[in-house]
């Protein structure tokens, strides 16, 4: 009876995490009869009576109010189709793209052309995963320079850190501008290419070690070491 | 005449040596390698991604699409002609059906999840190795699953019930042979695949199923270990 697996260990689908009714299944776990069973590969997190399995892999699932970095894949009659690094593409309608007056039949590539990147916000997601995005709002803009890197979307919270602590640390140490999209697409820009490289390497390091405890200290040490060189 | 000794000297209830590993294909969302004896399966998962042609899309849930392929020099006899054939099509279908009961794709309407199973080398039991690899690859890709799926072939060679037949045993000529590939959910022992080639009595079948249950547990331990090792750092580069 009770907990059968250690807190902070790795669970696999179908693994029995706890026996009896003392524990409750939360995200990533299910109850099967008397048992709490894991439903994915992930990190076990026991919070009081609740057992959660934190996702370590998987694709991005669009959510309303997420800020994402998107790429234009098609220019339509009344807007743009964007790739948001998931199975579903997003739609940017004209009225949410710009406050400029656009004449009927105008060439929309003047605003966003194929292959352009932008930081935008998801305004709506339907049950069939039709996604609408908007460019209107603070902190949403068209990306003109810098570089784009991709990380596993479920590592994004670790890259941002508590109240943005991790990403601020990278920004302070390297002097780079960094924007992290919830979809795992990250924009990094710096005038010094060497510093840009350090920032990218650091983000990749966080991605690889996100599930090992003591991450913040390790990253701090790493940044101190590389920026001294 | 009775069947006394297996060609490779194993016990009748002994599996061939197993090696399992996940994350072997970096470009895939999830991947796995599963070796059992000389049979080696690689599985790579891509998706969820948009499904075309559009009429195949299911607005209620995502689709699973498996592709089983033996590589040209994977067999013991002639070169395998590349491309699909009737056998590969059948195995792709039964693999899909053996994995579908554990996989939850209702969060991904209108999409497809592709699983490519490649076999660089085979010595019987390839569909079972493929299913084991595919279920590990799907778990590695982070999909919601009720359980893993473990598969093994059991059967009879002459008067003996054996597990994990190799090619020589399948082709045994001095007596009747039955080859029964079985896929199960290790925890509940629910069967998701059961095929048979050959002849077997009711009593022997029951005995074979019991042997399969036992062997599936052994395979599951290897699958579980491989998935955990990816994160515990023992196999990190």
């Amino acid at each position: 009876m009770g907990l059968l697996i250690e807190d902070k260990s790795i669970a696999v689908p179908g693994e029995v995490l706890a026996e009896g009714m003392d524990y409750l299944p939360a995200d990533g776990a299910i109850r099967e009869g008397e048992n709490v069973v894991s439903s994915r590969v992930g990190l076990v997190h026991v919070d009081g009576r609740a057992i959660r399995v934190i996702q370590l892999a998987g694709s991005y699932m669009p959510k309303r109010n997420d800020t994402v970095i998107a790429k234009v894949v098609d220019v339509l009659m009344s807007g743009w189709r964007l790739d948001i690094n998931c199975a579903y593409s997003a739609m940017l309608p004209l009225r949410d793209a710009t406050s400029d007056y656009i004449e009927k039949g105008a060439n929309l590539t003047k605003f966003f052309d194929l292959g352009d990147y932008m930081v935008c916000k998801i305004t709506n997601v339907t049950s069939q995963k039709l996604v609408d995005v908007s460019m209107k709002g603070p902190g949403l803009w068209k990306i003109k320079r810098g570089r784009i890197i991709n990380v596993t979307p479920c590592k994004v919270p670790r890259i941002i850190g508590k109240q943005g602590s991790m990403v601020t640390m990278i920004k302070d140490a390297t002097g780079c501008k960094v924007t992290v999209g919830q979809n795992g697409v990250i924009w990094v820009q710096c005038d010094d290419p060497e510093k840009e490289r350090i920032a990218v390497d650091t983000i990749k390091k966080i991605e690889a070690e996100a599930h090992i405890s003591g991450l913040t200290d390790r990253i701090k040490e790493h940044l101190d070491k590389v920026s001294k060189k | 005449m009775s069947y006394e000794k297996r060609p490779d000297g194993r016990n009748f209830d002994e599996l061939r040596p197993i090696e399992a590993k996940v994350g072997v294909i970096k470009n895939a969302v999830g991947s796995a390698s599963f070796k059992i004896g000389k049979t080696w399966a690689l599985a790579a998962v891509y998706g969820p991604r948009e499904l075309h042609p559009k009429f195949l899309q299911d607005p209620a849930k995502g689709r699973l699409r498996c592709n089983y392929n033996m590589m040209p020099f994977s067999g013991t006899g002639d070169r395998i002609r590349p491309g699909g054939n009737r056998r590969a099509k059948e195995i792709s279908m039964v693999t899909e059906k053996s994995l579908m009961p554990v996989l939850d794709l209702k969060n991904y309407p209108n999409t497809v999840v592709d699983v490519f199973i490649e076999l660089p080398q085979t010595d019987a039991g390839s569909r079972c190795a493929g299913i084991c690899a595919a279920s590990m690859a799907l778990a590695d890709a982070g999909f919601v699953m009720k359980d893993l799926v473990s598969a093994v072939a059991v059967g009879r060679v002459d008067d003996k019930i054996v597990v994990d037949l190799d090619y020589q045993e399948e082709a045994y000529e001095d007596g009747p042979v039955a080859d029964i590939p079985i896929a199960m959910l290790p925890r509940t022992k629910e069967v998701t695949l059961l095929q048979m080639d050959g002849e077997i009595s009711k009593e022997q079948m029951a005995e074979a199923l019991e042997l399969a249950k036992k062997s599936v547990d052994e395979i599951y331990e290897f699958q579980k270990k491989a998935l955990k090792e990816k994160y515990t750092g023992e196999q990190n580069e």
Side-chain angles (χ1 to χ4, degrees):
Chain A
M1 290 299 266
L3 206 59
L4 297 179
I5 191 164
E6 276 173 53
D7 192 12
K8 305 239 173 349
S9 58
I10 306 287
V12 301
E15 193 169 3
V16 179
L17 304 174
E19 281 176 343
M21 304 305 259
D22 293 345
Y23 288 93
L24 301 167
D27 196 26
I30 42 174
R31 177 170 292 289
E32 284 211 351
E34 292 275 291
N35 299 339
V36 176
V37 177
S38 168
S39 66
R40 63 178 168 221
V41 172
L43 200 63
V44 177
H45 181 78
V46 184
D47 185 9
R49 288 180 63 202
I51 305 179
R52 148 183 359 267
V53 180
I54 298 163
Q55 202 169 7
L56 293 172
S59 58
Y60 173 65
M61 193 42 81
K63 271 203 321 283
R64 186 188 285 195
N65 288 332
D66 271 1
T67 301
V68 296
I69 296 180
K71 182 187 174 187
V72 178
V73 287
D74 200 3
V75 183
L76 312 172
M77 191 85 105
S78 59
W80 294 265
R81 187 149 289 284
L82 311 177
D83 172 22
I84 51 168
N85 193 30
C86 81
Y88 307 95
S89 57
M91 171 76 191
L92 176 65
L94 261 187
R95 68 186 150 82
D96 290 330
T98 170
S99 45
D100 294 0
Y101 173 71
I102 301 173
E103 241 174 65
K104 215 173 185 178
N107 180 10
L108 294 186
T109 58
K110 274 196 292 190
F111 300 92
F112 301 108
D113 203 354
L114 293 174
D116 281 354
Y117 279 93
M118 61 189 76
V119 182
C120 51
K121 192 171 216 158
I122 295 177
T123 51
N124 198 15
V125 182
T126 69
S127 65
Q128 294 317 105
K129 312 286 175 189
L130 298 172
V131 184
D132 279 337
V133 295
S134 167
M135 286 288 291
K136 283 181 178 171
L140 306 178
W141 83 95
K142 180 177 165 182
I143 292 169
K144 293 197 174 126
R145 55 199 193 124
R147 72 165 92 177
I148 297 282
I149 56 170
N150 279 296
V151 297
T152 316
C154 45
K155 303 285 167 68
V156 164
R158 304 309 299 269
I159 291 165
I160 295 174
K162 278 187 187 132
Q163 265 123 41
S165 58
M166 192 71 88
V167 74
T168 313
M169 196 159 85
I170 299 172
K171 283 181 190 168
D172 291 346
T174 60
C176 293
K177 292 174 188 159
V178 182
T179 298
V180 184
Q182 292 292 331
N183 56 344
V185 183
I186 300 175
W187 171 78
V188 183
Q189 194 266 314
C190 191
D191 293 330
D192 181 354
E194 183 54 25
K195 286 190 169 160
E196 202 169 274
R197 192 189 62 78
I198 292 173
V200 171
D201 284 353
T202 312
I203 292 167
K204 290 284 177 197
K205 190 177 163 68
I206 300 172
E207 188 195 7
E209 298 176 9
H211 59 284
I212 307 168
S213 60
L215 181 71
T216 317
D217 296 337
R218 240 174 311 126
I219 297 302
K220 197 169 201 152
E221 224 171 82
H222 170 78
L223 279 170
D224 286 344
K225 204 168 78 187
V226 288
S227 44
K228 260 183 211 148
K229 272 183 194 166
Chain B
M1 202 186 120
S2 98
Y3 188 60
E4 296 296 343
K5 197 165 173 277
R6 301 182 77 171
D8 52 4
R10 274 184 289 155
N11 293 330
F12 293 115
D13 63 348
E14 189 181 337
L15 295 164
R16 288 175 283 178
I18 298 175
E19 265 176 60
K21 198 174 172 185
V22 297
V24 288
I25 298 161
K26 301 292 172 208
N27 277 347
V29 183
S31 59
S33 148
F34 188 88
K35 274 187 207 170
I36 181 158
K38 285 189 212 148
T39 302
W40 179 15
L42 289 167
V45 173
Y46 294 86
R49 55 190 180 187
E50 226 176 312
L51 176 55
H52 289 291
K54 253 188 155 175
F55 69 84
L56 292 174
Q57 290 183 354
D58 183 349
K61 62 177 193 311
R63 249 196 73 179
L64 177 70
R65 192 162 58 182
C66 294
N67 185 56
Y68 167 100
N69 184 43
M70 268 168 78
M71 286 184 180
F73 296 99
S74 59
T76 38
D78 287 347
R79 169 174 176 266
I80 314 280
R81 286 160 149 275
N85 54 50
R86 198 168 69 172
R87 179 176 172 274
K89 204 168 179 179
E90 176 222 318
I91 298 178
S92 303
M93 187 199 74
V94 297
T95 304
E96 242 167 64
K97 295 199 167 174
S98 66
L99 294 170
M100 223 32 231
V102 295
L103 195 61
D104 179 8
L105 293 178
K106 65 175 186 301
N107 274 331
Y108 308 100
N110 298 324
T111 62
V112 63
V113 175
D114 276 313
V115 181
F116 296 100
I117 301 163
E118 294 286 333
L119 294 119
Q121 184 172 290
T122 63
D123 181 22
S126 67
R127 72 191 69 194
C128 294
I131 290 169
C132 291
S135 85
M136 285 159 67
L138 284 165
D140 181 41
F143 286 100
V144 172
M145 291 165 86
K146 213 163 75 173
D147 204 344
L148 290 172
V149 182
S150 308
V152 70
V154 288
R156 74 171 295 198
V157 179
D158 214 342
D159 58 338
K160 294 286 187 314
I161 299 297
V162 295
V163 69
D164 192 19
L165 292 81
D166 62 21
Y167 184 73
Q168 272 192 60
E169 286 182 298
E170 266 187 11
Y172 184 74
E173 280 177 348
D174 300 333
V177 177
D179 173 33
I180 312 167
I182 298 179
M184 278 185 190
L185 315 193
R187 188 162 40 89
T188 55
K189 300 288 182 292
E190 286 169 280
V191 175
T192 63
L193 166 82
L194 197 151
Q195 293 182 298
M196 187 174 81
D197 180 14
E199 51 186 278
I200 196 165
S201 71
K202 203 170 152 186
E203 292 72 33
Q204 284 175 319
M205 182 70 181
E207 205 183 316
L209 279 172
E210 282 310 312
L211 184 55
K213 283 183 190 170
K214 184 181 140 273
S215 309
V216 154
D217 282 336
E218 287 175 38
I219 293 174
Y220 176 64
E221 288 306 316
F222 281 97
Q223 291 177 300
K224 197 160 103 173
K225 193 163 156 251
L227 282 165
K228 291 191 177 199
E229 271 179 4
K230 180 180 177 184
Y231 294 102
T232 47
E234 282 167 42
Q235 70 167 40
N236 280 355
E237 290 146 38

